[in-house]
Amino acid sequence: MKKDKTWFRGLHAAPPHWLRLLLAILPFMLLVAFYLTASHIRHTENPQDKLLPTITKMGNAIKKTAFTEDKRTGKYLLWSDTFSSLKRLLAGISMAAASGFLLGLNMGLLPGLRSMLLAFITFLANVPPLAILPILFISFGVGELGKIMLIFLGTFPLITRDIYLAVRKIPQNMIVKSLTLGASQAGVIYRVIMPQILPRLIETVRLSLGAAWLFLIASEAIASQSGLGYRIFLVRRYLSMDVIIVYVAWITLIAFSIDLILRKCITWVFPWYNPKMER
Amino acid sequence: MSDAYLLYLEDIQKTYGDKLVLADIDLAVKQGEFCTVVGPSGCGKSTLLRLILGQEQPTSGKLLINGRADVLHPSPERGIVYQRYSLFPHLKIIDNIMIGLILPLPFWKGIFKKKIIRKEALHYLEQVQLAEHAHKYPHQLSGGMRQRVAIAQALIKKPQILLMDEPFGALDPGTRESMQMLIIELWERHNMTIFFVTHDLEEAVFLGSRIIVMSQYYLGGSEKTDGQAKGARIVSDHSLEKASSTHYKESDEFGKFIQQIRKEGMDPAYLQHVTQFNLQHRDSFQTLTSEERAVLQ
Ligand SMILES: Nc1ncnc2c1ncn2[C@@H]1O[C@H](COP(=O)(O)OP(=O)(O)O)[C@@H](O)[C@H]1O
């Protein structure tokens, strides 16, 4: 029998497990190798180069920010920055998720509410959140509330609309069926449809987190005393690429982990959702 | 007199925009009847079922369930089995059946009574021979199994009338036949009233205790649509013998009857006047306008 399966090329490729792992790691290795080479070249020309710090310098940056008390504040900077940023991020996104979920769910099922709010939410979704950042800072102050409101306003309309669309896709038959099974109107909304939409909420939050990080870092860069974004823009003045790269890698790692946890959450808690989805 | 019937429709009309779909439907169904409905595709069978279910409202006419007119919206008196989308994808099979007993309770009571309800649900699941699949999700079952779950799900509510909209339409012939035997058995055991829409003549004649044929191909009628497509009416209405086994389907009598129904209902060239419809069933009646009646003389 002729072997008609390739490992890599074409529509019918069937890479074995080990190859898939290898292929997944490959772009990372390429990136690191590329960086190290470039950094090495620059350092042979100029040992004081700041643009592409060496691994050792970055190691020192980690030691300095994560494991040494800051002289001025007496805090471990990386951890206290992470803590303040995550607090803002989670406060903003969970408020947006909770209210967007309830609103989208009810708008999807109640024609009255839908008529009243659909155009308004669509309008809100088109307001560029960063453009109203000054308004937020003026009205909510440059403290925590202003930043949380930015994240909230930046993600809430999209979450609402996505949940709304998911609810609208539920066949009318299912709602009729629930009524014939003795559900009250509230029962249809909160006991039949809501549990079906929950995994969709997690997916929407996963997608909105990218925007949430953007708004978080932007607001921290502009007015803040702490936070990951604040630190990055602070050390930029001293051209501390080593700290910046460490912070960016750290943010990426956090964002990736949150996404992973949410994704696993869907497969564990909602096994009926997307049964064929690839892990 | 309309009180004696479980289901009573008089002069029911339904239009969608300008389009008249149902013209003057008169129908009375007694408790315990297995009423099958056939007709050309697109004639409005499903529309009629949705009106009875309360999913949609008639444009005009009188619709009574057990003599009551306040049945505007879907309610537990009327059970429904659709062709698809009948199950809740997020619930295991057993929970899909329990939900009919849990939903009417406040949710905290549902938690306390779960054990008793589960037992009853299992009992119904056994009747559709699916007890061993209780802990699977709907997407793990075949189409035929899913329809059996949907039937059990509706049965546990003991509806006064069970509406079925082409419930076996998406199943392969073998599965279909076993589902037909199952539904006859359940109908007899639970003394149910069933309103069963299908496009399959054989299925309708085999299952029903009464067959209703709807069609938009007829002559006369008071609505001013002569020349255009007409709204469907009930053009023939027969009581049927009870089938004891699938062998009935091979008999001569069965074949002849199918031929007759096919002519009365499905043939666009065979046009009867409204006064000549073959309404043989003892419960059937017709409200005719004076112009329609005038043709009789
Ligand atoms: N919601 C609707 N809006 C407009 N037309 C409809 C609607 N539902 C059904 N119809 C029309 O009504 C007619 C009857 O449909 P249906 O009851 O589904 O027929 P059947 O079940 O006999 O095949 C069809 O011509 C269809 O196009």
Side-chain angles (χ1 to χ4, degrees):
Chain A
M1 197 178 77
K2 191 167 166 287
K3 190 163 162 255
D4 59 354
K5 287 237 155 70
T6 64
W7 277 4
F8 184 69
R9 247 161 23 94
L11 279 177
H12 311 291
H17 189 67
W18 62 267
L19 184 61
R20 273 191 239 179
L21 274 181
L22 195 70
L23 285 172
I25 297 171
L26 189 67
F28 291 99
M29 296 205 306
L30 284 179
L31 179 70
V32 172
F34 179 75
Y35 179 87
L36 290 180
T37 322
S39 164
H40 182 73
I41 293 170
R42 285 187 73 98
H43 277 81
T44 41
E45 281 169 14
N46 169 16
Q48 299 305 312
D49 179 69
K50 290 211 126 187
L51 191 62
L52 299 178
T54 57
I55 295 289
T56 340
K57 277 198 193 152
M58 283 194 270
N60 286 336
I62 295 178
K63 210 187 284 168
K64 197 177 79 196
T65 53
F67 304 110
T68 322
E69 275 185 30
D70 183 49
K71 284 188 218 79
R72 203 162 51 80
T73 56
K75 285 181 185 162
Y76 296 93
L77 287 180
L78 182 70
W79 306 121
S80 69
D81 283 338
T82 306
F83 182 66
S84 355
S85 284
L86 279 186
K87 218 169 48 186
R88 293 165 191 149
L89 185 81
L90 296 183
I93 195 90
S94 44
M95 268 167 58
S99 46
F101 184 60
L102 283 179
L103 195 61
L105 178 68
N106 282 285
M107 271 168 59
L109 291 168
L110 303 173
L113 197 67
R114 169 157 73 239
S115 314
M116 183 165 88
L117 289 179
L118 187 58
F120 183 66
I121 295 287
T122 314
F123 175 79
L124 268 195
N126 283 295
V127 176
L130 279 179
I132 56 165
L133 184 56
I135 304 179
L136 294 179
F137 278 167
I138 292 167
S139 40
F140 298 106
V142 293
E144 297 302 306
L145 193 57
K147 300 181 187 72
I148 292 174
M149 282 310 284
L150 177 69
I151 297 172
F152 173 78
L153 285 179
T155 52
F156 159 77
L158 292 178
I159 294 180
T160 309
R161 286 215 313 167
D162 194 65
I163 295 296
Y164 163 76
L165 290 175
V167 172
R168 293 286 283 173
K169 275 212 197 103
I170 287 184
Q172 182 68 24
N173 286 358
M174 187 166 291
I175 293 160
V176 173
K177 176 108 198 191
S178 316
L179 291 171
T180 67
L181 294 178
S184 63
Q185 298 201 14
V188 171
I189 300 177
Y190 296 105
R191 292 169 75 179
V192 177
I193 306 298
M194 189 171 93
Q196 291 184 50
I197 298 296
L198 268 177
R200 180 75 216 179
L201 175 69
I202 298 183
E203 293 226 13
T204 313
V205 167
R206 276 180 65 199
L207 295 177
S208 303
L209 270 169
W213 277 105
L214 169 73
F215 300 132
L216 173 75
I217 289 171
S219 61
E220 287 180 343
I222 292 169
S224 191
Q225 308 304 320
S226 65
L228 297 165
Y230 161 74
R231 193 70 52 201
I232 291 177
F233 279 79
L234 183 73
V235 301
R236 179 188 62 121
R237 295 184 208 152
Y238 319 117
L239 284 181
S240 300
M241 274 297 266
D242 47 353
V243 177
I244 295 182
I245 291 178
V246 166
Y247 263 63
V248 171
W250 176 236
I251 292 175
T252 312
L253 187 69
I254 296 175
F256 180 80
S257 318
I258 296 180
D259 189 66
L260 187 74
I261 292 169
L262 291 180
R263 210 173 62 205
K264 288 289 167 197
C265 182
I266 293 181
T267 37
W268 287 332
V269 186
F270 309 105
W272 50 270
Y273 187 76
N274 258 348
K276 282 185 220 96
M277 194 174 70
E278 237 190 297
R279 274 138 258 274
Chain B
M1 109 126 203
S2 57
D3 294 355
Y5 296 105
L6 178 57
L7 180 66
Y8 184 85
L9 282 70
E10 193 178 307
D11 279 339
I12 290 284
Q13 290 203 6
K14 179 69 183 173
T15 53
Y16 288 113
D18 291 342
K19 188 175 170 198
L20 181 67
V21 176
L22 299 178
D24 199 2
I25 298 283
D26 299 314
L27 175 65
V29 179
K30 278 222 174 79
Q31 206 281 328
E33 198 90 71
F34 194 144
C35 191
T36 55
V37 182
V38 290
S41 135
C43 74
K45 304 182 291 291
S46 306
T47 305
L48 179 61
L49 177 131
R50 287 198 297 272
L51 295 184
I52 297 173
L53 179 59
Q55 184 169 355
E56 284 174 31
Q57 311 305 324
T59 310
S60 66
K62 186 158 119 187
L63 196 163
L64 304 178
I65 309 278
N66 244 343
R68 285 175 45 208
D70 56 338
V71 285
L72 285 181
H73 298 294
S75 60
E77 288 89 56
R78 290 157 288 175
I80 175 72
V81 175
Y82 290 110
Q83 182 172 358
R84 289 185 303 139
Y85 300 125
S86 259
L87 301 182
F88 301 111
H90 65 298
L91 295 177
K92 292 186 174 159
I93 298 309
I94 184 81
D95 296 307
N96 255 293
I97 296 181
M98 287 164 65
I99 194 168
L101 299 183
I102 287 181
L103 276 177
L105 303 171
F107 73 93
W108 61 90
K109 279 201 187 142
I111 294 167
F112 288 121
K113 288 199 165 171
K114 244 190 177 139
K115 226 173 170 177
I116 310 169
I117 293 177
R118 179 179 299 269
K119 217 167 149 198
E120 186 165 356
L122 259 178
H123 172 68
Y124 277 88
L125 207 49
E126 274 159 18
Q127 294 188 37
V128 294
Q129 297 125 31
L130 282 176
E132 70 271 32
H133 298 287
H135 296 287
K136 291 189 178 159
Y137 283 99
H139 71 82
Q140 293 167 300
L141 300 191
S142 71
M145 289 170 165
R146 269 184 248 172
Q147 285 311 76
R148 279 192 265 161
V149 179
I151 292 170
Q153 188 183 44
L155 274 189
I156 201 170
K157 295 294 290 179
K158 304 192 172 68
Q160 293 174 0
I161 181 166
L162 180 62
L163 306 168
M164 306 181 89
D165 193 355
E166 306 226 1
F168 310 147
L171 306 180
D172 60 84
T175 315
R176 205 171 167 131
E177 199 143 275
S178 65
M179 293 293 289
Q180 290 171 351
M181 296 315 288
L182 176 75
I183 195 70
I184 290 183
E185 185 200 322
L186 292 172
W187 171 62
E188 283 173 349
R189 185 183 319 159
H190 295 272
N191 189 21
M192 290 195 287
T193 312
I194 298 183
F195 188 87
F196 188 106
V197 167
T198 176
H199 63 255
D200 182 342
L201 276 181
E202 285 196 16
E203 181 171 83
V205 174
F206 177 65
L207 288 180
S209 67
R210 171 177 181 183
I211 185 167
I212 289 169
V213 186
M214 289 170 63
S215 173
Q216 62 274 56
Y217 309 124
Y218 57 85
L219 292 173
S222 53
E223 69 273 9
K224 295 176 179 47
T225 50
D226 282 312
Q228 305 176 29
K230 296 183 181 223
R233 293 192 182 215
I234 294 174
V235 299
S236 108
D237 185 347
H238 304 263
S239 65
L240 295 168
E241 280 179 44
K242 208 177 74 184
S244 45
S245 79
T246 46
H247 293 306
Y248 175 53
K249 285 190 182 176
E250 279 127 43
S251 69
D252 263 2
E253 187 193 355
F254 187 81
K256 271 203 196 115
F257 192 61
I258 298 271
Q259 285 308 321
Q260 184 194 339
I261 298 285
R262 178 161 289 136
K263 192 166 103 186
E264 285 174 353
M266 310 293 184
D267 184 358
Y270 180 81
L271 300 173
Q272 302 172 97
H273 191 266
V274 282
T275 54
Q276 296 163 337
F277 288 164
N278 196 357
L279 305 176
Q280 291 185 347
H281 195 275
R282 62 187 185 285
D283 292 336
S284 75
F285 68 105
Q286 206 179 12
T287 53
L288 292 175
T289 59
S290 43
E291 305 130 57
E292 286 166 349
R293 238 180 269 278
V295 183
L296 277 176
Q297 268 97 55

